[in-house]
Amino acid sequence: MTDRWDPGAFKNRVDEVLRRFVAEEADLFAAVDPLLAPVAEQLEAAVTDGKRLRAAFCYWGWRAVGQPDSDALVRAAASMELVHAAAVVHDDLIDDSPLRHGRPTPHIALRAAVRDRPHAEDTARSLALLVGDLLMSLAGQLFATCGLPAAYLARARPLWSVLARELIAGECLEILRTGAGPDTMASLKVIRYKTAKYTVEQPLLIGGALAGAGERLRAGYSAYGLPLGEAFQLRDDLLGLFGAPEHTGKANADDVRGHRPTALLAETWRLARADDRERLGALLGRRDLDADGLDAVREVMCRLGAPDRIEHMIGARVAEALDALHELNVPAPAAGALTSLAHSAAVRLS
């Protein structure tokens, strides 16, 4: 790979690593018993799609130290995508989301395999939970066997426990905040721990640790990665409600039906007067919310200017991330790639 950043070429490399690795593991898993074939299929389905942003941040965390391109490093970076795949399976299960990338989520897809069994829905959910667990285990396995020297891996290994602790803390905070009184600062804390850290900051830090990054560069990675990761999730919140499902691949009523603690809902509530709060209160958290009810929520949000507030927050965080990047003395290819990644993470259609 040349120093010129080609996101498509990098994605193809990561896709190929994931396809081969997960296919081999799925075959070994299915070989235990024919009954496991549908579960093995969901392992492979979980890594079929993705922008591979987390792998890209890990890769450039390595390259920004001055290290060269490396197939072994791409394998290590691809393990970040398995962490993401595991988190997505669990997140969709927790939120009871029916779609991801335009396809049924694992707990929905697996119903077909157990439809003749008692309590088929609960059984499918239990199987999906285990799919997520196995994907997280496979992430560690791919990282450990990536081919980089053991001394390099040892530098980064402690960060895996930090990544797992913070990601699960964020998921727990979202669950505990769901249905509670909307609070923008609390929502931003959920975003930081549930998404921002494992999407941008931790992949950068793991790539940097593999390469032997110094303290100043690691601090710069955090200064860049945290606001950018928050911008990424804020964009996701907007797309989740206002994006076209044919582009996002997800149902756009999930956040409202689940009364999730998004910053978009919190800002709407903060800006709302008593009559709007009464109207919202009758709609948020309703599992039977129809298209008209969803449009009513959107109308209140737009009239109060909440989406514009979120756009401002996104812009401010991207600017903060780029300012931090400009303070770092990293090679020009890394600076260019990380600048490009900042824009692609925060300005997107899906």
Side-chain angles (χ1 to χ4, degrees):
M1 187 171 181
T2 67
D3 281 342
R4 180 178 173 276
W5 175 229
D6 185 339
F10 179 79
K11 180 183 181 317
N12 289 339
R13 291 175 76 187
V14 174
D15 284 347
E16 182 62 13
V17 168
L18 292 172
R19 185 190 66 78
R20 289 190 177 191
F21 176 75
V22 176
E24 290 173 3
E25 291 297 327
D27 285 346
L28 291 170
F29 182 80
V32 173
D33 191 288
L35 277 175
L36 296 172
V39 183
E41 289 173 8
Q42 290 306 308
L43 285 173
E44 296 191 76
V47 298
T48 299
D49 299 289
K51 303 173 189 66
R52 311 314 185 200
L53 285 174
R54 292 157 186 86
F57 285 119
C58 184
Y59 177 86
W60 285 106
W62 163 276
R63 293 292 306 276
V65 184
Q67 293 279 14
D69 178 63
S70 159
D71 287 340
L73 187 277
V74 172
R75 285 176 59 82
S79 69
M80 300 292 100
E81 298 298 330
L82 288 172
V83 172
H84 176 54
V88 164
V89 170
H90 285 154
D91 198 43
D92 288 341
L93 179 59
I94 291 166
D95 294 338
D96 202 22
S97 298
L99 290 174
R100 175 75 63 164
H101 299 299
R103 294 192 303 272
T105 48
H107 67 279
I108 300 296
L110 284 164
R111 289 179 186 175
V114 296
R115 60 178 176 270
D116 296 329
R117 297 174 180 272
H119 312 296
E121 185 173 329
D122 289 343
T123 300
R125 293 178 68 85
S126 297
L127 291 173
L129 174 66
L130 294 169
V131 168
D133 290 347
L134 184 50
L135 285 166
M136 185 63 84
S137 174
L138 292 178
Q141 181 183 336
L142 179 58
F143 184 80
T145 61
C146 67
L148 288 173
Y152 288 28
L153 297 176
R155 291 194 294 243
R157 193 167 290 116
L159 294 176
W160 276 78
S161 61
V162 178
L163 183 155
R165 179 172 62 249
E166 292 179 339
L167 170 57
I168 294 171
E171 285 281 8
C172 290
L173 283 174
E174 183 178 60
I175 292 169
L176 293 167
R177 294 291 314 176
T178 291
D183 181 296
T184 300
M185 294 307 296
S187 295
L188 290 173
K189 188 170 189 178
V190 170
I191 283 173
R192 172 164 288 207
Y193 283 90
K194 185 190 169 208
T195 303
K197 284 177 166 286
Y198 97 92
T199 297
V200 186
E201 184 198 25
Q202 289 296 346
L204 277 168
L205 289 172
I206 288 172
L210 288 168
E215 183 177 349
R216 181 178 179 276
L217 185 55
R218 295 197 306 270
Y221 283 171
S222 293
Y224 164 90
L226 282 172
L228 182 57
E230 290 178 2
F232 175 89
Q233 184 57 44
L234 289 168
R235 173 64 62 203
D236 211 55
D237 290 347
L238 280 176
L239 289 171
L241 189 53
F242 290 94
E246 60 267 27
H247 292 304
T248 65
K250 296 184 284 188
N252 56 12
D254 285 357
D255 287 348
V256 176
R257 285 177 179 157
H259 197 175
R260 296 179 191 156
T262 67
L264 176 59
L265 287 175
E267 279 297 284
T268 301
W269 191 265
R270 185 182 65 82
L271 296 165
R273 296 179 301 185
D275 54 341
D276 283 326
R277 289 187 175 186
E278 183 177 357
R279 189 180 186 192
L280 288 169
L283 296 169
L284 297 177
R286 282 184 52 178
R287 305 304 299 181
D288 62 345
L289 187 75
D290 59 14
D292 289 340
L294 193 59
D295 284 341
V297 173
R298 291 192 186 105
E299 186 278 325
V300 172
M301 287 179 168
C302 291
R303 177 163 44 80
L304 295 175
D308 292 336
R309 285 282 306 149
I310 300 302
E311 288 285 1
H312 176 77
M313 292 165 72
I314 291 170
R317 282 161 173 76
V318 172
E320 182 182 348
L322 292 176
D323 285 346
L325 177 61
H326 295 154
E327 292 294 317
L328 295 177
N329 183 25
V330 299
L338 290 170
T339 298
S340 175
L341 283 166
H343 291 295
S344 61
V347 182
R348 63 190 203 279
L349 295 176
S350 62

